[in-house]
Amino acid sequence: MNDMETPVFLAPRSLKKVITHFCPGCQHGSVHRLVAEALDHFSVQERTIGVASVGCSVFLYEYFDIDVVESPHGRAPAVATGVKRARPDRIVFTYQGDGDLAAIGTSEIIHAANRGEDLTVVFVNNTTYGMTGGQMAPTTLAGQKTSTSPYGRDIANDGRPMRMAELLTQLDGTAFSARVAVNTPRNVLAAAKVMRKAFQTQVEGRGFAFVEILATCPTNWGLSPLQANERIAAEMIPCFPLGTFKDWAGADGAASAGAGQ
Amino acid sequence: MDQRLFVKGNEAVAMGALAAGCRYYFGYPITPQSDIPEYMARELPPLGGTFIQAESEIGAINMLLGASACGVRAMTSSSSPGISLKQEGLSYMAGSELPGLVVNICRSGPGLGGIDASQADYFQAVKGGGHGGYHLIVLAPHSVQEMYDLAMLAFDLSDQYRIPAMLLGDSVIGQMKEALTPHARPQVTLPAKDWAVEGKGTRSAQRIVKSLYLGDGELEAHNWKLHRRYELLREHEARWEALDVEDAELIVTAFGVTARIAKSAVRMARAAGLKVGMIRPITLFPFPGAAFAEATRNAKKVLCFELNTGQMVEDVRLSVARDADVYFYGRPPGAGSLPTPEELYAQIAAYCRRSA
């Protein structure tokens, strides 16, 4: 094989070679790839069980070549708890959106973290309910217009955006909590490192690991994919700062520069 | 195993579950069933099992969903208001064809109601309390021994048909103590759980446990498949106890706590020379309709006793011969509502005298 034929960019084993159903510019595909690369890195595809949640990400099993169980809206951390307790030697992750995890599933995520369940939670924050058509989420930014906040999110009426990565950091059961973004190549590379760390946490049995990913929803934001990436930098990151907020391998509590910015 | 124990119904159901091989319990405290999680919290760890006091009933049923998806025997228990919270998860388990045991030690409602025995959750249990149109396998113990026996049966039927099972008890059956003879689990051959998620391992095909079917005709086919299983249950798994129905002119029917009281009333009626028999449904779904059809070829009157304002009576009416009359006597549950044998005997005597 000469240099011309040496592959330099391979598709992850843990992903099927199929085209996704996601909208143009949606970053679920990128996040799927980061998760799959982490599974490949630790060679755990064969012993991984994914827990799909409700929303655009429910079709996990169409794209990941792993065993998957579907959960009701918001309940993925409870379903994953049952899976992990029944199969403690498996790698178990949930994949949840912000409407799922930060609204209807707030109780389940907080208590799974507090029990220190050996799970990896992949939390995709695009500040809206994607599949249901762009309604206001707990993560919706102040002033952001959505189909249920047509005049913009009014903090006096609707409260302020919830910062889940910081919130979960406060719980003793959380071993790792970080926020990354996938809006630039640099941030994607940083996100890949953080994703690996989140799965390493579970591979080493250190407890609950949480990765929040700031991602786009161009369709519901009414922006082009490029504009949507710019919105992450201009509007989301100032409200949801990137960083590793808790790391079992480093200093707990203080934010450390782990994810670019 | 030929010992006799003096235990509470709630303990008996937990003991039966453990004897059936259940090693995972997920639950949340609520009166009058808290003896079950307390028993499991004490007994499961030494057996190498797992007890989790969940953050909510919703958390508990979804932990059950996850464990069951892995193919292990797992259970939860609660009482009426908590069972309402579990309905979402039960619908998903039914849609995902997951087995598992849910014990409902019923208390009176609606709402917070009270903690007294009730049979007002019959509709919720047998008609599919959650959304989407499904059934649970529903078993109704009327003694401490049956709490033990039916917990075992519930696991076996649930595994065989891949339908969640509910043991529908009540606060009298759960809280009273009587003799229990524990025994080993009956030997039954069950299908392999070749659907359980466990990590792909060397399998080439992934396994998916799900209830979402979006393709043209997929969900309809899935629902017909579930429906055929409900038909199989109706055909093969209906269970009931019949007393003195051969020469009976009036059939009394009741389940659970009311059946105990009705049995005393039927004995009083027989002693008084009245030709009265009794059918006690043990499975509420599948409902033992054939037993009623058979018995009402001769007996043309059926009297249904319930601790509610009339729920099972609807299934009785659908089951009897065309020319049989069905009567109902019941009281809404609550403190002081439990009928006495004399009260039910008076009803039996009145309907025996009444000409058709």
Side-chain angles (χ1 to χ4, degrees):
Chain A
M1 190 183 281
N2 63 38
D3 283 350
M4 295 287 284
E5 290 169 336
T6 304
V8 294
F9 190 71
L10 293 172
R13 278 185 66 221
S14 300
L15 278 188
K16 297 180 191 173
K17 293 184 177 58
V18 295
I19 294 167
T20 66
H21 72 290
F22 299 119
C23 299
C26 168
Q27 289 166 337
H28 271 306
S30 308
V31 180
H32 277 32
R33 184 177 179 108
L34 295 180
V35 173
E37 284 176 350
L39 298 179
D40 287 1
H41 178 82
F42 294 105
S43 302
V44 292
Q45 176 191 7
E46 285 75 17
R47 62 182 180 102
T48 293
I49 300 172
V51 181
S53 59
V54 167
C56 295
S57 54
V58 66
F59 296 108
L60 220 55
Y61 43 80
E62 301 281 359
Y63 310 126
F64 282 89
D65 189 16
I66 57 171
D67 282 3
V68 174
V69 53
E70 219 175 62
S71 74
H73 199 195
R75 319 299 177 211
V79 172
T81 297
V83 170
K84 188 73 182 190
R85 297 302 184 106
R87 297 277 178 254
D89 57 345
R90 303 306 198 270
I91 299 299
V92 182
F93 73 91
T94 74
Y95 189 107
Q96 304 175 258
D98 43 55
D100 186 87
L101 181 141
I104 194 168
T106 332
S107 170
E108 284 78 8
I109 192 66
I110 286 176
H111 287 276
N114 195 50
R115 284 191 301 269
E117 298 288 346
D118 255 333
L119 303 171
T120 303
V121 171
V122 179
F123 172 53
V124 182
N125 176 359
N126 58 15
T127 72
T128 192
Y129 285 76
M131 186 178 266
T132 41
Q135 292 85 10
M136 183 175 65
T139 47
T140 294
L141 300 178
Q144 182 181 340
K145 286 184 180 174
T146 72
S147 62
T148 52
S149 56
Y151 308 108
R153 181 178 187 154
D154 173 5
I155 56 170
N157 191 62
D158 309 318
R160 292 177 166 80
M162 278 177 85
R163 297 187 182 95
M164 292 307 298
E166 289 88 333
L167 196 153
L168 293 173
T169 299
Q170 305 305 312
L171 300 171
D172 289 344
T174 301
F176 182 82
S177 180
R179 183 182 293 115
V180 298
V182 285
N183 59 326
T184 65
R186 182 165 175 259
N187 278 346
V188 170
L189 289 174
K193 270 181 157 174
V194 168
M195 191 67 78
R196 272 201 299 279
K197 192 68 179 284
F199 278 92
Q200 187 187 351
T201 308
Q202 186 177 174
V203 168
E204 296 184 6
R206 293 178 182 277
F208 185 85
F210 185 81
V211 190
E212 177 172 341
I213 300 111
L214 303 185
T216 55
C217 185
T219 300
N220 285 306
W221 291 356
L223 298 177
S224 73
L226 284 179
Q227 289 171 328
N229 270 333
E230 286 161 10
R231 177 178 183 259
I232 289 182
E235 299 178 31
M236 284 177 72
I237 290 174
C239 176
F240 298 109
L242 305 186
T244 296
F245 305 104
K246 193 167 191 180
D247 184 350
W248 47 267
D252 286 0
S256 57
Q261 286 302 298
Chain B
M1 288 287 254
D2 53 358
Q3 56 181 336
R4 282 183 95 209
L5 305 174
F6 186 55
V7 298
K8 274 175 107 165
N10 283 342
E11 293 169 323
V13 77
M15 294 166 71
L18 293 182
C22 173
R23 291 295 178 271
Y24 299 86
Y25 177 95
F26 310 100
Y28 185 86
I30 181 173
T31 307
Q33 62 84 51
S34 295
D35 314 276
I36 303 174
E38 286 168 6
Y39 187 93
M40 290 303 201
R42 190 177 72 233
E43 299 298 328
L44 272 171
L47 292 170
T50 295
F51 168 89
I52 298 183
Q53 181 163 324
E55 60 271 24
S56 68
E57 292 294 3
I58 299 170
I61 191 74
N62 284 290
M63 291 173 194
L64 175 62
L65 187 158
S68 173
C70 294
V72 302
R73 282 197 160 178
M75 70 177 285
T76 185
S77 64
S78 189
S79 178
S80 308
I83 295 292
S84 292
L85 290 170
K86 292 189 191 295
Q87 295 304 324
E88 173 196 70
L90 284 171
S91 171
Y92 276 78
M93 287 182 72
S96 305
E97 303 169 74
L98 288 175
L101 175 62
V102 179
V103 178
N104 182 1
I105 303 300
C106 298
R107 56 188 261 179
S108 43
L112 202 49
I115 58 168
D116 311 277
S118 168
Q119 297 184 322
D121 294 358
Y122 179 92
F123 281 155
Q124 187 196 46
V126 307
K127 307 294 184 188
H131 64 280
Y134 65 89
H135 287 289
L136 306 174
I137 295 163
V138 184
L139 303 167
H142 86 318
S143 65
V144 168
Q145 183 69 48
E146 271 193 342
M147 290 283 263
Y148 183 91
D149 298 343
L150 296 185
M152 281 187 182
L153 177 64
F155 273 112
D156 286 345
L157 289 178
S158 186
D159 278 348
Q160 186 175 342
Y161 290 89
R162 294 181 60 184
I163 295 172
M166 176 175 283
L167 198 142
L168 192 72
D170 57 68
S171 69
V172 171
I173 305 297
Q175 290 295 324
M176 73 183 186
K177 273 191 164 186
E178 59 184 9
L180 168 70
T181 305
H183 54 80
R185 179 186 161 200
Q187 289 298 313
V188 288
T189 307
L190 294 169
K193 293 186 173 180
D194 55 7
W195 44 265
V197 295
E198 53 188 14
K200 268 184 70 184
T202 55
R203 260 188 282 120
S204 60
Q206 66 182 155
R207 287 179 182 168
I208 303 165
V209 172
K210 64 166 188 165
S211 60
L212 181 70
Y213 293 92
L214 291 180
D216 270 2
E218 278 183 21
L219 184 56
E220 181 179 353
H222 178 63
N223 275 305
W224 280 122
K225 181 171 81 172
L226 296 181
H227 180 77
R228 280 193 292 275
R229 278 191 210 152
Y230 303 143
E231 292 300 308
L232 280 176
L233 276 169
R234 286 191 176 102
E235 211 172 310
H236 300 293
E237 305 295 352
R239 286 164 167 79
W240 67 93
E241 178 187 11
L243 296 170
D244 299 332
V245 293
E246 294 76 16
D247 66 334
E249 290 166 5
L250 180 141
I251 303 286
V252 164
T253 184
F255 70 96
V257 62
T258 314
R260 294 177 73 97
I261 306 166
K263 272 186 183 176
S264 300
V266 167
R267 273 186 226 109
M268 292 163 75
R270 278 282 169 179
L274 302 174
K275 288 194 167 177
V276 176
M278 180 167 166
I279 294 174
R280 175 176 70 90
I282 296 170
T283 53
L284 298 180
F285 187 89
F287 191 73
F292 287 92
E294 170 70 21
T296 49
R297 286 199 296 183
N298 298 322
K300 292 301 170 196
K301 293 179 190 172
V302 179
L303 177 53
C304 182
F305 291 130
E306 298 178 66
L307 196 57
N308 56 45
T309 53
Q311 297 191 9
M312 183 177 82
V313 64
E314 295 185 5
D315 287 328
V316 174
R317 283 196 181 112
L318 290 171
S319 305
V320 298
R322 289 178 72 95
D323 57 346
D325 293 320
V326 176
Y327 307 99
F328 172 76
Y329 180 78
R331 296 167 66 181
S337 296
L338 209 60
T340 61
E342 290 74 18
E343 185 178 338
L344 297 190
Y345 169 72
Q347 293 293 320
I348 292 169
Y351 282 105
C352 280
R353 280 194 302 271
R354 187 192 286 199
S355 55

